[in-house]
Amino acid sequence: MNFIETRGNDGQLPLEVSFSEAILSPMSSFGGIYVPSKLPQLGEFFLREHLDSSYKVLAKDILLAFEIDIATNVIDEALDLYDAFDDSTNPAPLVKVKDDLYVSELYHGPTRAFKDMALQPFGRVLSSIAQSRNKNYLILAATSGDTGPAALETFKNRANVKVACLYPDGGTSDVQRLQMVTENAENLKVIGVHGDFDDTQAALKALLGSESFNVKLKQQNIQLSAANSVNFGRIIFQLIYHIHSYLELVRQEAITLGDKVYLDIPSGNFGNALGGYYAMKMGLPVEKILIASNNNNVLTHLINKGLYDLRESSVVATTSPAMDILKSSNIERILYDLYGAERTKELMLQLDNEKYYQLSTDELKKLQHIFSADFCNDEEGKQYIQTTFATGYLMDPHTATCFKTYETCREKRLKTIIYSTAEWTKFSPVIANALTGEEGADDKEALKSIAKAAKIEIPTEINALFNKEITQKTIIDKADIEKEILAFL
Ligand SMILES: *Cc1c(COP(=O)(O)O)cnc(C)c1O
């Protein structure tokens, strides 16, 4: 299967590219991104056939249905990485929380957040493409917390790929920072930057546009690539777990095959939700996809009013920082799918130039046929963490935002799958505050008090972080990033 461009073709780039091309160079004409030219149809027969399949068997058959240009043995090796998740037979367990509400836990991988679900296999695939082409790639990442650790973990010691990861010094949780600065491999460089996440991201953008930097990369025969969620190599691994969670509901006899369900997804860059949308288009029986946001609620407005508006907004810091995003990159793929390339180009250019766009009434109707949305503020999120804990389920603040959409967006009493995107260990001060009322605890103290309140153990890999040697000590000003990365290369 080939990939085409969300904003049409500029006459310079090829009209279609293979999967591996789309992974290596994710940007397409007019600043657009790549989408599959058509989606495979799985249908009820496929679902029935996989009722008893393990996650890996299901995943492999879905990937094969896409007919991607990746060797079968590489696909196998990529999927084998799920063996290292907590339960090797089921990397994404589905847990009943109450009545018709089930939680699909996507955080059982090495860095304890859902980014591992896609980045683990993606790292293996990208490195193998680089090797087979005998090329060297540099992945530059700016992270506010979860992508950095997951990218470092997956590319650690992999051939033909180097990673330079920038994080805002003081802008991540202790656990997230320790996960990065204790990574020790020759192909990884972690750089703390003075400033906040926006500064870090702006510095990265400036670097990508720097002529001297690009000339030096060329001299050293290094190509740039990206591991962010516009990369389809991540999205393809994100539609699998939606299908898996649905089959889990059937296996648990909560539904019978063919029954519709709600997918309820905590959203930022919309990779997770896009995976759900593609799964639905491929034949998964989904009633609607519920989009949960925090106070950075541009997606709520888009889906409720058809207005994507960045004119007045600036990012506000919330207790669910992985969703503190205003420019949600994967919305572009939805626009393309619903309204076509020409309109997508028009809307995205308007967003760039005028900081907003407004959908027509008909366009909005199409969008609302598939999505409903609401947002959950920090106080409401804290309440959900508290009340849900009282019924015996511990969750993180990102997951908590979905309880709002569960209450306000469902029109039918259908079974609902909430996607849990982080383990409690990654955002412990917020959770400790919700459970015990304590304020200002650092991660270490908060982990202890949650473990005590919930009568559970702190996972060994999290505890070990606090005693691990810090190997990545670079903390610098924005202006010195280019020099630092060139020295690393
Ligand atoms: C990345 C992330 C999200 C947002 O996911 P998107 O695919 O970007 O919408 C939500 N929660 C956590 C914990 C994350 O790390």
Side-chain angles (χ1 to χ4, degrees):
M1 168 168 316
N2 279 338
F3 287 75
I4 52 177
E5 305 163 278
T6 49
R7 303 188 193 179
N9 185 263
D10 62 6
Q12 308 287 313
L13 289 172
L15 283 172
E16 298 195 350
V17 299
S18 67
F19 177 70
S20 45
E21 291 292 342
I23 282 193
L24 291 176
S25 311
M27 296 312 289
S28 69
S29 302
F30 309 115
I33 48 181
Y34 286 104
V35 285
S37 57
K38 65 177 197 308
L39 290 167
Q41 287 305 308
L42 300 180
E44 194 166 319
F45 177 76
F46 180 94
L47 295 178
R48 196 169 296 284
E49 222 185 357
H50 283 287
L51 265 180
D52 296 317
S53 295
S54 68
Y55 192 89
K56 276 171 27 176
V57 168
L58 172 72
K60 185 168 175 183
D61 278 353
I62 294 171
L63 294 173
L64 291 179
F66 270 89
E67 296 174 18
I68 50 179
D69 60 333
I70 304 295
T72 318
N73 69 307
V74 175
I75 293 183
D76 285 335
E77 286 169 31
L79 295 176
D80 282 345
L81 292 164
Y82 290 123
D83 290 346
F85 282 47
D86 292 343
D87 177 351
S88 61
T89 65
N90 187 357
L94 185 78
V95 179
K96 179 169 180 167
V97 170
K98 64 177 183 188
D99 314 326
D100 46 13
L101 191 167
Y102 291 73
V103 174
S104 170
E105 297 180 343
L106 302 177
Y107 56 73
H108 289 279
T111 71
R112 320 313 291 167
F114 106 104
K115 300 291 189 284
D116 289 329
M117 288 301 297
L119 273 167
Q120 277 288 304
F122 172 78
R124 179 71 192 85
V125 170
L126 182 72
S127 159
S128 113
I129 302 173
Q131 270 176 287
S132 67
R133 298 183 175 211
N134 209 3
K135 287 193 172 154
N136 289 302
Y137 284 87
L138 170 66
I139 303 241
L140 283 175
T143 183
S144 63
D146 281 339
T147 303
L152 294 166
E153 187 61 31
T154 193
F155 288 113
K156 178 163 72 181
N157 297 320
R158 288 219 183 276
N160 298 54
V161 181
K162 286 185 175 170
V163 180
C165 179
L166 309 175
Y167 70 94
D169 183 40
T172 69
S173 77
D174 293 344
V175 166
Q176 288 171 326
R177 182 180 50 82
L178 288 170
Q179 283 180 325
M180 292 187 276
V181 297
T182 58
E183 282 288 14
N184 191 8
E186 269 183 15
N187 67 330
L188 306 180
K189 176 79 188 173
V190 180
I191 300 172
V193 180
H194 298 303
D196 61 19
F197 177 60
D198 283 341
D199 295 329
T200 312
Q201 206 164 25
L204 178 68
K205 278 223 175 98
L207 186 63
L208 292 174
S210 149
E211 200 176 311
S212 61
F213 185 66
N214 282 295
V215 166
K216 295 236 174 65
L217 288 186
K218 222 178 218 149
Q219 283 167 358
Q220 301 195 38
N221 229 343
I222 295 172
Q223 327 253 334
L224 277 176
S225 188
N228 58 17
S229 75
V230 299
N231 197 313
F232 202 87
R234 279 177 60 178
I235 302 296
I236 201 167
F237 290 107
Q238 297 197 342
L239 48 95
I240 297 165
Y241 55 72
H242 293 288
I243 299 172
H244 168 78
S245 303
Y246 182 90
L247 291 173
E248 280 285 294
L249 271 182
V250 179
R251 286 191 277 270
Q252 295 183 17
E253 299 179 356
I255 56 171
T256 52
L257 195 77
D259 289 350
K260 290 203 168 172
V261 300
Y262 287 106
L263 310 180
D264 188 353
I265 305 177
S267 297
N269 253 328
F270 216 76
N272 197 350
L274 181 74
Y277 172 75
Y278 283 150
M280 181 179 178
K281 283 205 65 176
M282 287 160 67
L284 196 70
V286 173
E287 175 71 18
K288 262 191 180 181
I289 302 173
L290 315 182
I291 301 301
S293 297
N294 59 28
N295 265 344
N296 297 288
N297 53 10
V298 276
L299 294 174
T300 311
H301 289 307
L302 174 68
I303 291 163
N304 290 329
K305 299 190 197 134
L307 176 67
Y308 203 112
D309 196 351
L310 303 176
R311 282 170 298 187
E312 305 285 307
S313 0
S314 50
V315 182
V316 290
T318 71
T319 54
S320 44
M323 294 156 66
D324 290 351
I325 286 172
L326 293 178
K327 261 197 140 174
S328 181
S329 333
N330 279 298
I331 288 291
E332 178 161 354
R333 291 190 163 110
I334 302 289
L335 299 181
Y336 170 82
D337 219 58
L338 297 179
Y339 319 128
E342 206 167 313
R343 181 66 172 147
T344 302
K345 183 179 166 202
E346 185 177 53
L347 293 170
M348 294 308 295
L349 289 182
Q350 194 186 354
L351 187 62
D352 278 347
N353 297 330
E354 297 171 49
K355 301 276 174 276
Y356 83 101
Y357 61 74
Q358 171 74 57
L359 301 177
S360 71
T361 315
D362 282 352
E363 287 170 338
L364 179 57
K365 218 179 257 166
K366 272 191 177 172
L367 189 67
Q368 291 179 338
H369 191 66
I370 298 154
F371 299 102
S372 292
D374 203 350
F375 70 99
C376 175
N377 68 35
D378 286 354
E379 187 52 39
E380 292 168 322
K382 181 172 153 180
Q383 298 293 329
Y384 287 124
I385 292 173
Q386 228 167 45
T387 52
T388 309
F389 181 68
T391 70
Y393 190 73
L394 179 62
M395 65 180 169
D396 101 293
H398 300 79
T399 313
T401 62
C402 296
F403 281 67
K404 177 78 178 282
T405 26
Y406 170 79
E407 281 177 3
T408 61
C409 292
R410 300 185 324 150
E411 288 152 358
K412 301 182 185 169
R413 295 183 55 89
L414 297 174
K415 297 284 187 290
T416 301
I417 302 169
I418 282 179
Y419 290 87
S420 181
T421 48
E423 190 178 59
W424 59 275
T425 53
K426 294 207 80 170
F427 300 94
S428 54
V430 178
I431 303 171
N433 173 260
L435 302 188
T436 69
E438 71 186 271
E439 306 254 1
D442 63 20
D443 280 36
K444 210 172 177 176
E445 295 158 353
L447 284 165
K448 278 191 194 139
S449 57
I450 299 167
K452 193 168 157 219
K455 301 189 181 64
I456 49 179
E457 302 272 331
I458 301 170
T460 39
E461 63 268 50
I462 295 289
N463 249 337
L465 282 175
F466 294 96
N467 301 319
K468 248 178 157 173
E469 188 196 348
I470 293 182
T471 48
Q472 306 271 358
K473 293 185 180 144
T474 312
I475 297 173
I476 55 178
D477 284 330
K478 273 201 299 198
D480 298 324
I481 294 174
E482 179 168 335
K483 203 171 64 193
E484 194 69 39
I485 293 180
L486 287 172
F488 157 64
L489 295 176

